[in-house]
Amino acid sequence: MMEESSKTAPLIVGRITYAYDTPEEFTDAEKYLQTIRDELPYMATTGMRFETLTKDPEVRKAVDDIVYDFNGEKNPHPLAYYQADGQKTPVKEGKAKER
């Protein structure tokens, strides 16, 4: 009897690609976050791009925290914003708009 691979395969947290390279998929959130921290300063020269695939609000917020911090800003969104799971979209006034 064949087991379904989705039951045993670890969930992919995120994917990072570089220019002309194969995507690297991460199942460990800490390694994914650390790679973003390490590679973000070189993004323009390496062509690094990242895609967060997890629905975990803490990981999604941590990614945004890293990017905002890199740009010298503080993430304006609390954890609750990420827990909404896409139910709200930000508007310029800092308020959320229902979809």
Side-chain angles (χ1 to χ4, degrees):
M1 188 163 127
M2 229 168 106
E3 290 184 38
E4 291 182 35
S5 62
S6 64
K7 288 183 181 179
T8 58
L11 295 175
I12 298 171
V13 174
R15 180 180 300 128
I16 295 181
T17 58
Y18 300 92
Y20 309 109
D21 203 3
T22 358
E24 184 177 357
E25 294 182 336
F26 291 82
T27 56
D28 181 301
E30 287 306 315
K31 286 182 182 178
Y32 175 64
L33 295 171
Q34 189 59 49
T35 302
I36 292 173
R37 278 187 207 98
D38 293 345
E39 297 296 328
L40 198 56
Y42 310 105
M43 190 173 182
T45 55
T46 64
M48 188 265 292
R49 299 289 179 262
F50 59 91
E51 179 182 8
T52 304
L53 302 172
T54 184
K55 298 264 186 214
D56 182 335
E58 291 181 5
V59 174
R60 292 172 42 217
K61 181 175 182 343
V63 170
D64 280 0
D65 288 347
I66 292 166
V67 174
Y68 274 104
D69 184 55
F70 178 75
N71 289 297
E73 298 179 23
K74 185 178 180 201
N75 184 349
H77 304 295
L79 184 59
Y81 173 83
Y82 299 90
Q83 292 168 332
D85 194 33
Q87 297 301 312
K88 299 178 180 180
T89 55
V91 292
K92 288 186 181 183
E93 295 80 28
K95 297 179 182 176
K97 182 172 108 179
E98 296 292 327
R99 287 187 184 186

